[in-house]
Amino acid sequence: MAVELWNRVNVPFPSAVSAVRVPFTAQTAADVETLLTERENVLKLLRSEMLQTEVRLLYELLYVLNNSYRGNKTFKALKQVEQCVNRLKNMKLDAALQELSDLCPNRIQRQLSIKDGQCVVPSQPTLEWICLKVLGAARLTSCTLRRCSRAFTLAKQQMKWEEFVILNVVITSMLSRLWVIFRGVLLALSGLYRQLLELLRDVARVQPMPFLTDFSLPADLAQFLGPSDALLLTKPAAHSIARQEKKQAAKKLPAEAKKTCTQKRKLKEDLGVAVIRGVGLAADRKSFFKLCRTFTEGKSTPKQTSRADRRHEFQKQVRDAASFSHLEIRVDEMIRWCKSQRMGKEKRLLTFLQLKCRQMKCLEAAGYNIQRKLQTFKKEACWASSPEGSAPKTLRSLASRRRVHGRIRFHTLRRLMMRGGVKRKEQAGRQTRARLSGDDLRSGTAREATCRSTVTHDDIDDIFASAGL
């Protein structure tokens, strides 16, 4: 399938003259000046430091995530964005626009050409070649916008799933900035293409040298890109819509409201000068002091009152519960209420008690007598609904429990191992003594008695010899 001319990376340059002399009027000078202004807008965006920084960030992310993130859909979408950016770079649109600037007359040349009546401008083949470049760049830019939107959607979906949260925050922020920049490039290309067509019509009427014989240039980029991408060229920005809505709302305000708003805005404030406020702020000050007085007097807000009432109601229901089945229902309702009120500590404690309640419920169904456990659990549930004072032993923090119990288990294990070693040694000694026969035991005792008598007789002879007997 043959590739369209505008879809090629390297569009062949026409083998024809690049510039021709045409009649030059004030209208033609204005068209050339507008064309150069639109060209500057496109080059300013393509060469902006912001765009280059975001593209470098995209390259760095793809380099870092190449191995660990390769199979992810967001990574694949980012690779498609990179492909569009690289193809736009390889088109060398900035070089073509720079050549257009060299062929167009500057301000002084335009002023002299108006007096002379003739001027050198780009030829029809050159203008058609630049139009093809602009069409290809516009199609690539719209494709880049679609890829950025798709990658943004995938990254946002992963953030909802709480996967790679920090990485997806970086990716979404980068993609949003890229989308805004490339949308500005697309708008600038639309204005540039419109001015190119106007100058092309003037040049083709005077010096016709058609370069495109099998392809006709579209009337505008909206027709070329299609209805889906044409919305990007016609849809106003969100801040302009909000500004128009504010203006319309301000027009609908009555005269007295406008006067009050202007009085509030005109507040003279300077360093070292007393601030002059309007009378309307006195009511706000009084209400503020009244609110502070209620806090100092210890009056609770309606939200605090409703929480206290709900806690008392829960505690009453817990005390009246006759079994762990009823307690599980009450605790589950309280957990949902704590979640809606964003009471994290109470929710965690009650969730822990809910697990314990389910275990006790199984024992209760098996027929065990757990009335004492039921009373203890009621006290724990009442404390968990409003945790104040010293906590019960069963509701201590999991970290401290793990640390203490871990130490106890280690010492207990070491003690058991030592006892097991001593017991094994005693058992081995008993087995050794059992193997000895009775004769061996008797011969051993006789040998010990002979030794003792021999030692005794020798000691007596030594005593008499020392006395001279």
Side-chain angles (χ1 to χ4, degrees):
M1 182 178 176
V3 181
E4 297 286 348
L5 284 175
W6 55 264
N7 199 21
R8 295 179 181 178
V9 177
N10 296 319
V11 181
F13 193 79
S15 299
V17 291
S18 300
V20 292
R21 186 175 291 276
V22 297
F24 203 76
T25 60
Q27 182 63 33
T28 310
D31 292 342
V32 172
E33 184 178 1
T34 309
L35 176 63
L36 293 177
T37 303
E38 296 292 340
R39 183 202 70 90
E40 283 295 331
N41 293 336
V42 175
L43 286 180
K44 190 182 296 184
L45 288 172
L46 290 177
R47 296 174 179 175
S48 64
E49 186 65 26
M50 184 181 297
L51 177 59
Q52 303 303 324
T53 303
E54 299 301 331
V55 171
R56 286 197 299 268
L57 176 60
L58 175 64
Y59 290 159
E60 290 293 333
L61 282 175
L62 292 175
Y63 177 77
V64 171
L65 303 174
N66 187 32
N67 292 329
S68 59
Y69 211 62
R70 185 179 298 174
N72 195 280
K73 290 183 179 180
T74 307
F75 179 78
K76 294 178 181 179
L78 289 177
K79 290 290 288 183
Q80 292 176 353
V81 175
E82 181 198 20
Q83 291 173 3
C84 294
V85 172
N86 291 338
R87 190 176 178 85
L88 187 60
K89 281 185 177 181
N90 294 332
M91 286 187 66
K92 299 180 180 179
L93 179 64
D94 51 349
L97 295 180
Q98 186 63 41
E99 187 173 354
L100 174 65
S101 176
D102 296 338
L103 293 175
C104 290
N106 55 24
R107 183 175 60 85
I108 299 175
Q109 290 174 349
R110 289 196 297 272
Q111 292 176 357
L112 295 175
S113 299
I114 291 174
K115 296 178 182 179
D116 191 17
Q118 288 186 349
C119 184
V120 177
V121 295
S123 62
Q124 181 181 356
T126 304
L127 290 174
E128 289 179 350
W129 178 73
I130 295 175
C131 284
L132 286 178
K133 287 274 190 181
V134 172
L135 288 176
R139 180 58 64 88
L140 269 178
T141 305
S142 65
C143 182
T144 306
L145 291 175
R146 287 196 300 271
R147 301 306 179 194
C148 287
S149 301
R150 183 172 180 273
F152 183 89
T153 305
L154 293 173
K156 186 179 177 181
Q157 189 177 12
Q158 281 192 335
M159 289 177 65
K160 288 183 179 179
W161 294 341
E162 298 181 357
E163 295 179 356
F164 312 105
V165 177
I166 299 177
L167 175 62
N168 286 310
V169 167
V170 176
I171 290 175
T172 50
S173 59
M174 178 196 67
L175 289 172
S176 60
R177 292 189 294 267
L178 281 175
W179 192 93
V180 171
I181 294 171
F182 279 114
R183 183 175 181 271
V185 172
L186 186 61
L187 291 173
L189 288 174
S190 177
L192 176 63
Y193 183 75
R194 194 182 309 111
Q195 295 301 323
L196 281 171
L197 287 183
E198 291 183 4
L199 183 60
L200 178 61
R201 280 193 289 268
D202 296 340
V203 173
R205 186 171 57 252
V206 179
Q207 293 285 344
M209 290 186 296
F211 167 64
L212 300 175
T213 57
D214 300 334
F215 179 76
S216 59
L217 294 173
D220 56 356
L221 281 184
Q223 178 184 352
F224 175 70
L225 295 177
S228 59
D229 294 329
L231 293 174
L232 299 173
L233 302 174
T234 58
K235 187 178 180 181
H239 61 84
S240 63
I241 297 175
R243 194 178 304 164
Q244 292 176 1
E245 291 178 354
K246 286 182 180 180
K247 288 182 180 179
Q248 293 176 359
K251 290 179 181 178
K252 295 179 181 179
L253 286 175
E256 296 180 357
K258 290 182 180 178
K259 187 176 180 181
T260 307
C261 292
T262 53
Q263 287 179 358
K264 287 184 178 180
R265 290 194 194 99
K266 293 180 180 179
L267 297 176
K268 299 179 181 179
E269 297 182 3
D270 196 2
L271 292 175
V273 180
V275 180
I276 303 173
R277 301 285 185 184
V279 184
L281 297 175
D284 297 338
R285 196 183 304 117
K286 288 180 180 179
S287 61
F288 175 72
F289 287 146
K290 188 182 295 184
L291 183 62
C292 293
R293 195 179 299 112
T294 57
F295 277 115
T296 54
E297 290 175 359
K299 293 181 180 179
S300 59
T301 60
K303 188 174 182 180
Q304 292 176 348
T305 307
S306 62
R307 285 187 177 183
D309 295 341
R310 182 68 182 90
R311 285 169 176 169
H312 291 316
E313 181 183 358
F314 171 72
Q315 292 175 2
K316 183 179 179 181
Q317 291 174 353
V318 166
R319 293 190 189 99
D320 295 341
S323 63
F324 278 100
S325 301
H326 298 158
L327 280 175
E328 185 184 8
I329 298 172
R330 302 306 179 191
V331 170
D332 186 56
E333 292 176 356
M334 192 64 180
I335 288 173
R336 294 177 184 175
W337 182 80
C338 291
K339 186 177 180 181
S340 63
Q341 297 293 321
R342 296 184 179 179
M343 300 165 63
K345 184 177 180 181
E346 290 83 352
K347 177 179 171 293
R348 287 193 297 270
L349 293 173
L350 290 171
T351 305
F352 174 72
L353 287 178
Q354 187 182 28
L355 297 175
K356 183 178 178 181
C357 183
R358 289 174 181 172
Q359 294 177 356
M360 293 293 108
K361 184 174 134 181
C362 296
L363 294 176
E364 187 179 28
Y368 290 94
N369 186 8
I370 50 175
Q371 290 300 319
R372 294 180 60 184
K373 294 284 185 182
L374 181 62
Q375 299 301 324
T376 306
F377 186 86
K378 288 181 180 181
K379 295 179 182 178
E380 293 170 355
C382 292
W383 182 88
S385 62
S386 57
E388 296 177 357
S390 59
K393 294 181 180 180
T394 54
L395 292 178
R396 289 174 184 171
S397 62
L398 297 177
S400 61
R401 288 184 61 195
R402 286 196 192 110
R403 191 162 54 248
V404 173
H405 284 285
R407 193 181 302 122
I408 291 173
R409 287 172 186 159
F410 173 73
H411 290 303
T412 306
L413 181 62
R414 187 173 61 180
R415 196 180 302 114
L416 290 174
M417 291 175 64
M418 294 175 63
R419 290 178 180 175
V422 172
K423 289 181 179 179
R424 283 195 297 271
K425 289 181 180 179
E426 292 177 354
Q427 187 176 3
R430 287 196 219 96
Q431 291 177 358
T432 304
R433 285 194 296 271
R435 291 194 199 100
L436 294 176
S437 60
D439 297 337
D440 294 338
L441 289 174
R442 284 194 297 272
S443 61
T445 52
R447 194 180 300 110
E448 289 177 2
T450 307
C451 291
R452 283 197 296 269
S453 62
T454 305
V455 171
T456 305
H457 288 301
D458 291 341
D459 294 339
I460 292 171
D461 291 341
D462 293 337
I463 291 171
F464 281 109
S466 62
L469 295 175

